């Protein structure tokens, strides 16, 4: 049961092989058993989960089940969940009980998905290794000496270790795709505006996007069906008709044009990673796809532009954490300014403070044009690079990460090194387009992922391409043996 | 050489919307602290703003009323600073692309025949949210925060530095105050802070570049505005004449001392780190939207004044009956019944007896017991000589007391109809002449005043109802 797809779980529930309560208890039991080692869950509330499972069973018994009713899910601790502690990986929100549901959570609830708990993350989603969480790092189930990636590292580790069949994640610069790659999962960052940001604690508003993290493209499509779609509470939500993201899963790949950016397929890529990518491309060719070289001339600027825009927005978004109305307040202070300074100095971790400082700097009078406006110009160039590339191809392929999961401490001492590991994923957020990562090999026993990028609103196509690949490969079925 | 005063005004007008600019919470004044706060106003983690289209409509309405350019893709920006009553740590405002660009306010200066018009050019008007309120007095050693006002929609209206005296500044503020109420975008309640002005004041020698300005914050009455500017101007002149330079600063006016006092200097000025709010898209304003707002716009005071002047009102009278939309509407309704030929008479009534009565009883025009139709009917009866002007005042009083539904009804019921029957008047004249030989003799001896005494006697005998003109004519004929 722990290896079953979401469709299989729904079918087992439907045929009464198992109840949602039993299924929920199964995963809660695994969390109790394994979480102390991998630290994926920050908050578990068995009573709430079991109540939701019972409610789902009742809905199914009444004949009103939807495609995912009764299936358990883990929510990244960035989503406000009514009555649940919602920490965003920060000391700042250690005791914050959310008074409302994020739209993603609300829609999952409405779909009958059973919440298993809140999963760990880099503090305020700022990090690529989960080492910045106030609640301690998450360990990669494939090798517990290594990071699971970030910031949705708890989501990835929970699903990889089979502590949850699926999870929600968020992706600002790769935070779904990178941990998916490092933990052997399939994770999708949808087009900006596809999934409501209401109730998702903001890191960088113009880049943040929630998405599914699961084991297969099919699972991701089913989850996206549950929580994507227009939401009037988010002004950047796109007013489009709801769509079935699984509608194209079975479309053959004959004639598919896969673009390979020459900037990503040069000589400086990691050899083992590139070999895995080449092997995956060979599979795709067998399925009828062809590959074409494309160019993204401005992509090398993406990390620089991102690390101006994202901190700028973050510095402002995180101003509300001031110790006045909720969240951490320093126990002692002399006056108002001292209260702000101490509460924020003690409530935020080092990486968050670093980015607030960078962001404050680039927005400052006299620097705004040189940094913020210049970064916005690069952002537009990158978006037009992708537009031009998609005139020659249907999807773009690349590695998701420069290498497999790294060891704790390996990069955390050097922020720039850490930032550079986002090179393949960041441009996608700047352009607002969808991309996913799917497993495509193993290197020294560690999973590696391939990124597929598509034009705006091509989620169904990316899922189709991946699903076809997953029909002829089994990388996505592999699991870390210690958690079998 | 004397000093020239240079004043620019920034006004925060609270927009008369039902709900806040980015949340559904009510904007009503006076609720329990924090009772009117949504998750958005409290800046809970994860919440997002959604712009209230009603507020945008108000901004468009203002822009059209002052002849501005409406930016059809204006942008909300974040103004970043920390303060306990600013829950997000930034205020959503507009910076580089405000919704209203340019425009003009026409104001009247002077009185009566000395009235002159002056055009004040607007720089811009932009939408923003208000902050909450810090309550320093209510708690010992602590500060309370009330976020009811947080997120209330404001339109900040900024002029060019074109006013040259405190009188001009006040005239501008009054004209703007009247206009925003006229077009229904702001209730103008200055006590509740719905309309508050900041005045940027500097002085210079004529022909020289602008001097360094100081900004007087939060002027919430026209009287204080005048006092504050007068004090500030004199203070700046004294400083300069004593050889000290003016430092750019923000100052507060203390009504108790009548003085302005520096709150913070330029060195303390914050860097607000404005940038476009990524949570909000540019405000798309279609041509259709603008046309719809234009269609709903009441006739503007300037147009109305010109129309009334064409009916024969002086510029001063026309300005007086268009001092507010309520007065103008009242005037126009009264005129509809009285007839356009009575434009001047109707204006006199409204500015005279009617306003005096309202003032005496402390009533707003909406609460006046005499409807404009009733007043118009009364004026018509004076015009057609059914009653005299003096009787008219009696009828007005009776209408005010609710003694009848119309002037006609009161005239009928109380027998006030003017006596115009020549025979009847002649009888009265003869009677009075016979009874007052002394006056007759005096008149014949050349004392014109004696005639007035005789007229008085006749009117008294007629209980005021005799047509005064006829009485005069008959009397003169009989005495000649």
């Amino acid at each position: 049961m722990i290896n079953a797809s979401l469709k299989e779980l729904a079918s087992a529930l439907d045929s009464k092989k198992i109840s949602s309560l039993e299924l929920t208890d199964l995963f809660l039991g695994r969390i109790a058993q394994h979480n102390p080692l991998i630290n994926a869950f920050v908050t578990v509330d068995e009573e709430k989960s079991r109540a939701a499972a019972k409610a789902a069973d009742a809905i199914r018994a009444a004949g009103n089940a939807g495609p995912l009713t009764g299936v358990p899910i883990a929510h990244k601790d960035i989503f406000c969940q009514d009555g649940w502690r919602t920490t965003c990986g920060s000391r700042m929100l250690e005791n914050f009980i959310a008074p409302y549901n994020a739209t993603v959570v609300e829609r999952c609830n409405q779909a009958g998905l059973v919440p298993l708990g809140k999963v760990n993350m880099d503090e305020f989603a700022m990090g690529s290794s989960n080492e910045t969480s106030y609640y301690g790092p998450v360990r990669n189930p494939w090798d517990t000496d290594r990071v699971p990636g970030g910031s949705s590292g708890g989501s990835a580790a929970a699903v990889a270790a089979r502590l949850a069949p699926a999870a929600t994640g968020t992706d600002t610069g790769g935070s779904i795709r990178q941990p998916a790659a490092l933990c052997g999962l399939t994770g999708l960052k949808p087009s900006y505006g596809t999934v409501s940001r209401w109730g998702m604690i903001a890191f960088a508003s113009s880049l943040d996007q929630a998405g599914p993290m699961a084991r297969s493209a099919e699972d991701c499509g089913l989850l996206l069906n549950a929580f994507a779609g227009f939401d009037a509470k988010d002004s950047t939500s796109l007013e489009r008709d709801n769509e079935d993201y699984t509608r194209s899963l079975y479309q053959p790949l004959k004639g598919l044009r896969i673009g390979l950016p020459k900037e990503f397929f040069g000589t400086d890529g990691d050899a083992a990673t590139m070999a895995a990518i080449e092997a995956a491309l060979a599979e795709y060719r067998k399925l009828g796809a062809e590959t074409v070289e494309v160019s993204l001339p401005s992509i090398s600027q993406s990390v620089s532009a991102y690390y101006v825009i994202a901190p700028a927005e973050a510095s402002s978004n995180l101003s509300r954490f001031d110790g006045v109305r909720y969240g951490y307040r320093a126990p002692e202070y002399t006056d108002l300014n001292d209260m702000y300074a101490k509460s924020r100095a003690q409530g935020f971790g080092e990486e968050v403070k670093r980015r607030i400082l960078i962001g404050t700097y680039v927005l400052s009078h006299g620097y705004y044009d040189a940094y913020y406006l210049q970064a916005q110009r690069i952002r537009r160039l990158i978006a037009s690079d992708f537009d031009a590339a998609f005139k020659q191809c249907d999807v773009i392929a690349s590695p998701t990460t420069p290498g497999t999961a790294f060891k704790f401490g390996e990069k955390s001492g050097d922020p720039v090194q850490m930032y550079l590991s986002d090179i393949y994923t960041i441009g996608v957020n700047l352009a607002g387009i969808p991309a996913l990562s799917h497993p495509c090999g193993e290197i020294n026993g560690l999973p590696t992922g391939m990124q597929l990028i598509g034009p705006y609103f091509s989620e169904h196509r990316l899922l189709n391409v991946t699903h076809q690949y997953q029909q002829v490969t089994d990388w996505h079925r592999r699991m870390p043996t210690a958690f079998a | 050489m004397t000093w020239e005063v240079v004043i620019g005004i920034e006004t925060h007008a609270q927009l008369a919307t039902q709900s806040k600019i980015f949340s559904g919470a009510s904007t009503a004044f006076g609720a329990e602290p924090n009772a009117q706060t949504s998750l958005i106003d409290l800046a809970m983690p994860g919440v997002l703003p959604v712009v209230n289209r009603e507020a945008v409509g108000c901004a468009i309405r203002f822009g059209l009323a002052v002849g501005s350019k409406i930016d059809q893709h204006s942008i909300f920006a974040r103004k970043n600073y920390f303060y306990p009553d600013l829950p997000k740590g930034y205020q959503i405002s507009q910076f580089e692309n405000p919704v209203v660009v340019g425009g003009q306010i026409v104001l009247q200066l002077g009185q009566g025949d000395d009235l002159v018009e002056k055009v004040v050019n607007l720089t811009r008007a932009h939408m923003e949210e208000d902050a909450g309120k810090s309550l320093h007095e209510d708690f010992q050693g602590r500060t309370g925060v009330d976020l009811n006002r947080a997120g209330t929609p404001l339109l900040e209206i900024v002029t060019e530095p074109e006013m040259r005296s405190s009188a001009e500044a006040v005239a501008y503020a009054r004209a703007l105050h009247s206009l925003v109420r006229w077009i229904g975008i702001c209730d103008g309640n200055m006590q509740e802070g719905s309309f508050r002005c900041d005045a940027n004041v500097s002085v210079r020698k004529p022909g020289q570049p602008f001097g360094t300005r100081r900004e007087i914050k939060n002027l919430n009455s026209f009287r204080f505005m005048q006092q504050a500017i007068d004090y500030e101007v004199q203070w700046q002149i004294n400083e300069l004449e004593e050889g000290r330079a003016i430092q750019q600063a923000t100052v507060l006016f203390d009504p108790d001392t009548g003085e302005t006092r520096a709150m913070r200097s330029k060195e303390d000025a914050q860097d607000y780190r404005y940038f476009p709010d990524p949570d909000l898209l540019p405000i798309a304003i279609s041509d259709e939207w603008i046309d719809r707002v234009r269609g709903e716009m009441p006739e503007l005071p300037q147009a109305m004044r010109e129309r009334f002047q064409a009916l024969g009102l002086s510029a001063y009278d026309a300005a007086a009956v268009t001092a507010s939309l309520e007065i103008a509407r009242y005037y126009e309704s009264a005129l509809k019944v009285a007839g356009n030929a009575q434009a001047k008479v109707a204006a006199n009534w409204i500015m005279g007896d009617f306003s005096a009565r309202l003032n005496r009883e402390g009533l707003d025009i909406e609460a006046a017991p005499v409807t404009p139709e009733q007043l118009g009917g009364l004026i018509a009866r004076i015009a057609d000589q059914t009653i005299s002007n003096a009787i008219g005042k009696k009828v007005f009083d009776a209408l005010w007391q609710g003694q009848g539904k119309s002037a006609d009804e009161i005239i009928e019921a109380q027998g006030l109809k003017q006596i115009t029957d020549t025979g009847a008047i002649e009888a009265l004249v003869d009677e009075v002449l016979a009874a007052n030989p002394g006056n007759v003799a005096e008149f014949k001896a050349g004392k014109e005043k004696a005639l007035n005494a005789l007229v008085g006697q006749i009117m008294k005998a007629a209980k005021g109802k005799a047509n005064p003109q006829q009485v005069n004519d008959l009397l003169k004929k009989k005495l000649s």
Side-chain angles (χ1 to χ4, degrees):
Chain A
M1 206 54 81
I2 60 167
N3 284 311
S5 72
L6 299 190
K7 212 170 169 180
E8 288 162 354
L9 288 178
S11 154
L13 289 164
D14 209 40
S15 62
K16 300 200 170 66
K17 263 189 207 143
I18 194 167
S19 70
S20 176
L21 185 59
E22 289 162 340
L23 191 57
T24 301
D25 278 338
L26 170 67
F27 282 105
L28 288 173
R30 287 184 62 80
I31 294 167
Q33 185 188 350
H34 296 292
N35 196 56
L37 175 59
I38 63 167
N39 197 30
F41 282 81
V42 178
T43 302
V44 175
D45 186 330
E46 297 196 348
E47 285 317 302
K48 281 203 180 76
S49 298
R50 300 179 88 242
K54 284 182 205 163
D57 281 331
I59 287 167
R60 191 170 288 281
N64 297 325
L68 295 174
T69 303
V71 173
I73 190 167
H75 288 306
K76 186 175 180 180
D77 210 13
I78 199 169
F79 294 104
C80 285
Q81 192 169 355
D82 196 2
W84 290 69
R85 187 174 74 134
T86 299
T87 71
C88 219
S90 182
R91 182 186 196 188
M92 189 57 89
L93 293 176
E94 190 171 8
N95 298 309
F96 179 71
I97 311 292
Y100 74 107
N101 276 332
T103 296
V104 165
V105 170
E106 184 66 32
R107 290 187 178 171
C108 285
N109 289 348
Q110 278 166 13
L113 285 155
V114 175
L116 285 173
K118 306 298 290 288
V119 284
N120 207 345
M121 55 184 285
D122 279 294
E123 186 180 7
F124 285 104
M126 298 177 191
S128 311
S129 67
N130 232 289
E131 290 166 287
T132 73
S133 171
Y134 177 68
Y135 305 93
V138 178
R139 292 178 181 276
N140 191 320
W142 293 83
D143 177 349
T144 53
D145 290 333
R146 292 175 187 270
V147 306
S151 66
S152 310
S155 307
V159 178
R162 305 318 193 240
L163 307 190
T168 51
T170 62
D171 190 315
T172 304
S175 280
I176 286 176
R177 291 159 286 159
Q178 185 251 21
L182 301 192
C183 290
L185 304 180
T186 306
L188 170 66
K189 183 208 90 80
S191 306
Y192 186 79
T194 299
V195 180
S196 169
R197 294 186 297 114
W198 173 259
M200 180 177 129
I201 299 174
F203 161 18
S205 312
S206 74
L207 301 162
D208 294 343
Q209 189 61 197
M213 299 179 75
R215 291 198 305 276
S216 68
E218 183 185 60
D219 287 0
C220 285
L222 290 168
L223 288 169
L224 198 56
N225 280 348
F227 61 71
F230 174 68
D231 178 11
K233 292 204 283 287
D234 175 0
S235 304
T236 62
S237 169
L238 295 162
E239 211 163 344
R240 304 175 73 240
D241 291 339
N242 282 345
E243 56 179 291
D244 176 4
Y245 293 98
T246 64
R247 68 185 185 276
S248 308
L249 289 181
Y250 302 99
Q251 192 181 315
L253 299 190
K254 190 164 170 49
L256 176 78
R257 295 168 303 162
I258 301 177
L260 306 178
K262 63 180 185 192
E263 292 78 9
F264 290 160
F265 286 84
T267 48
D268 40 355
D270 174 69
T273 301
M274 295 317 289
I277 296 297
E278 287 302 339
L281 290 172
E283 246 358 288
Y284 276 117
R285 288 190 195 97
K286 276 196 248 166
L287 288 165
E290 51 184 279
T291 55
V292 291
E293 187 185 89
V294 296
S295 178
L296 302 169
S298 303
I299 202 76
S300 65
Q301 314 273 334
S302 60
V303 174
S304 309
Y306 176 90
Y307 278 98
V308 168
I309 292 168
E313 294 181 7
S315 69
S316 178
N317 283 334
L318 269 59
S319 292
R320 68 188 58 197
F321 304 106
D322 56 6
V324 173
R325 299 167 313 289
Y326 53 76
Y328 181 82
R329 186 190 289 188
E332 285 173 30
Y333 45 86
T334 55
D335 59 15
L336 178 62
N337 278 332
D338 195 45
M339 184 189 93
Y340 285 142
K342 288 210 171 83
S343 299
R344 289 166 65 81
Q346 295 163 17
F348 289 138
E350 191 185 357
E351 182 62 25
V352 170
K353 283 185 272 194
R354 176 165 26 246
R355 297 201 195 186
I356 289 174
L357 284 174
I358 295 170
T360 303
Y361 178 78
V362 300
L363 289 176
S364 295
H365 187 71
Y367 298 95
Y368 180 81
D369 289 10
Y371 290 103
Y372 187 78
L373 288 185
Q374 185 64 13
Q376 294 291 3
R377 275 179 218 116
I378 292 169
R379 184 175 189 169
R380 284 191 290 275
L381 288 177
I382 288 167
S384 53
D385 279 2
F386 278 112
D387 282 348
F390 286 125
K391 292 200 168 73
Q392 298 167 262
C393 63
D394 304 305
V395 298
I396 288 171
S398 80
T400 308
T401 57
T404 53
F406 42 91
K407 292 199 162 161
F408 290 104
E410 197 176 317
K411 294 186 182 178
S412 53
D414 183 350
V416 174
Q417 201 52 42
M418 189 76 92
Y419 299 166
L420 286 172
S421 65
D422 300 335
I423 178 69
Y424 295 116
T425 52
I426 265 176
V428 163
N429 299 77
L430 292 169
I433 53 181
L436 63 67
S437 176
H438 69 67
C440 70
E442 276 178 18
I443 300 166
N444 300 324
L446 293 170
T448 189
M450 173 188 251
Q451 177 176 236
L452 293 172
I453 306 167
Y456 249 96
F457 310 129
S458 64
E459 287 82 358
H460 66 103
R461 184 66 161 146
L462 296 176
L463 292 168
N464 155 235
V465 172
T466 303
H467 182 72
Q468 291 302 309
Y469 174 82
Q470 290 178 336
Q471 298 311 294
V472 295
T473 56
D474 72 344
W475 299 113
H476 65 293
R477 292 184 208 283
R478 305 217 179 169
M479 69 176 296
T481 45
F483 297 87
Chain B
M1 200 169 26
T2 55
W3 294 90
E4 183 182 48
V5 178
V6 176
I7 303 166
I9 306 264
E10 293 171 19
T11 304
H12 287 93
Q14 179 178 326
L15 297 176
T17 56
Q18 298 296 305
S19 57
K20 294 185 176 179
I21 186 167
F22 299 117
S23 86
S26 165
T27 53
F29 181 81
E32 282 290 296
N34 298 309
Q36 288 175 174
T37 51
S38 71
L39 296 169
I40 294 169
D41 307 315
L42 294 168
M44 280 290 159
V47 299
L48 296 168
V50 175
V51 70
N52 177 350
R53 288 174 63 87
E54 208 188 333
V56 180
C58 287
I60 298 171
R61 188 176 262 240
F62 177 77
L64 292 176
V66 297
S68 311
K69 176 182 175 293
I70 307 290
D71 189 329
Q72 294 181 261
H73 296 280
S74 77
I75 290 171
F76 281 113
R78 293 184 182 180
K79 178 180 180 178
N80 294 283
Y81 66 96
F82 285 98
Y83 205 68
D85 62 23
L86 188 72
K88 292 186 295 296
Y90 57 84
Q91 178 194 28
I92 305 177
S93 181
Q94 297 197 288
F95 186 55
E96 283 186 327
N97 301 76
V99 62
V100 169
V101 182
Q104 296 182 332
I105 298 276
V106 180
L107 39 127
Q108 276 93 25
L109 297 161
Q111 294 253 320
D113 293 341
D114 297 332
L115 186 126
V116 288
E117 290 200 334
K118 178 179 168 110
V119 171
V120 173
N121 287 293
L122 301 181
T123 314
R124 59 186 278 166
H126 67 255
M127 290 180 281
E128 62 183 27
E129 57 178 344
D130 209 343
K133 244 181 358 196
S134 291
L135 309 166
H136 298 293
E137 285 85 21
D138 301 14
F139 306 93
Q140 191 131 39
R142 287 187 295 170
T143 294
V145 176
D146 177 6
L147 296 176
N148 281 350
R149 209 179 61 187
T152 298
L154 302 176
L155 189 67
E156 181 174 338
I157 303 153
V158 183
T159 73
E160 293 291 304
E162 292 182 344
M163 283 147 283
R164 293 290 175 266
S165 67
S166 61
E168 285 188 15
V170 170
Y172 163 78
R174 283 189 187 278
L176 180 66
H177 185 252
S178 162
L179 179 70
V180 294
R181 291 168 67 233
W182 186 287
I183 61 176
I185 64 164
C186 173
D187 68 16
N189 190 323
M190 296 176 82
Q191 264 77 54
E192 292 175 6
S194 300
F195 185 92
R196 41 190 206 265
C197 296
D198 305 334
N200 283 290
V201 178
S202 64
V203 298
R204 65 171 172 185
K205 295 285 182 181
Q208 295 296 303
F210 289 136
T212 303
R213 66 172 193 264
R214 304 213 307 167
E215 182 180 20
I216 315 172
K217 280 283 195 195
N218 273 329
L219 295 164
N220 63 359
S221 91
F222 299 125
R223 194 160 56 90
F224 291 163
M225 175 182 276
Q226 178 119 28
Q227 289 174 1
I229 293 172
D230 286 343
Y231 178 87
E232 177 65 23
V233 164
Q234 200 49 54
W235 183 87
Q236 289 190 17
I237 290 172
N238 290 346
E239 289 290 294
L240 291 168
E241 290 187 340
E242 287 173 25
R244 288 189 289 272
I246 304 293
Q247 304 298 322
Q248 193 174 326
T250 303
V251 305
L252 281 180
F253 176 67
D254 182 345
D256 294 332
T257 62
E259 295 176 1
T260 54
R261 165 174 53 80
M263 198 162 70
R264 53 173 186 262
S265 71
K266 197 193 174 190
E267 285 74 53
D268 308 326
Q270 306 209 32
D271 181 353
Y272 291 119
R273 306 189 309 280
Y274 281 101
F275 75 107
D277 191 331
D279 286 334
L280 291 161
L281 304 175
I283 313 160
I285 299 175
S286 63
D287 292 339
E288 291 72 33
W289 193 358
I290 294 174
D291 287 344
R292 201 163 61 242
V293 174
R294 189 179 280 121
E296 293 160 0
M297 181 90 78
E299 187 184 8
L300 294 171
Q302 185 69 14
M304 227 181 228
R305 279 198 290 273
E306 283 163 16
R307 202 154 51 75
F308 293 159
Q309 282 182 257
L311 296 177
L313 291 199
S314 69
Y316 182 72
D317 287 348
V321 295
T322 56
S324 76
L325 184 60
E326 291 76 24
I327 294 174
R329 286 209 167 125
Y330 192 100
Y331 174 71
E332 193 144 55
S333 301
L335 206 54
K336 201 170 277 173
V337 177
N340 281 348
Q342 302 305 310
K344 171 68 181 160
V345 175
N348 288 346
W349 266 99
I350 286 169
M351 286 145 53
D353 291 73
F354 179 71
S355 292
R357 192 71 182 253
L358 284 179
N359 282 343
R360 197 161 73 232
E361 302 194 6
L363 292 177
D364 284 337
I365 194 164
E366 292 91 339
V370 177
T371 67
E373 290 74 19
Q374 289 173 329
L375 183 63
L378 168 60
I379 292 166
R381 291 294 81 84
I382 297 169
D384 67 13
Q385 306 204 338
T386 304
I387 54 172
S388 67
N389 214 24
I391 293 291
K393 289 182 196 284
K394 249 187 174 172
V395 174
F396 177 75
D397 190 57
L399 283 169
W400 196 280
Q401 307 291 341
Q403 291 171 14
K405 286 197 185 71
S406 67
D408 286 339
E409 195 184 303
I410 290 166
I411 292 165
E412 184 63 36
Q414 303 188 10
L416 298 174
K417 197 167 184 303
Q418 188 161 256
I419 302 165
T420 51
D421 172 21
T422 313
I425 295 175
E426 194 167 358
L428 286 169
V429 170
D430 291 341
E431 200 179 300
V432 168
L433 288 179
N436 295 283
N439 290 115
V440 173
E442 279 174 26
F443 178 75
K444 290 197 165 160
K447 279 197 175 172
E448 287 283 330
K449 269 193 181 166
L451 189 71
N452 293 344
L454 288 167
V455 170
Q457 291 289 333
I458 295 163
M459 290 309 279
K460 196 176 170 190
K463 296 185 180 119
K465 294 186 288 185
N467 180 307
Q469 194 59 46
Q470 279 176 290
V471 170
N472 259 311
D473 292 350
L474 268 170
L475 192 57
K476 280 182 183 163
K477 207 166 94 188
K478 296 218 174 236
L479 289 172
S480 62

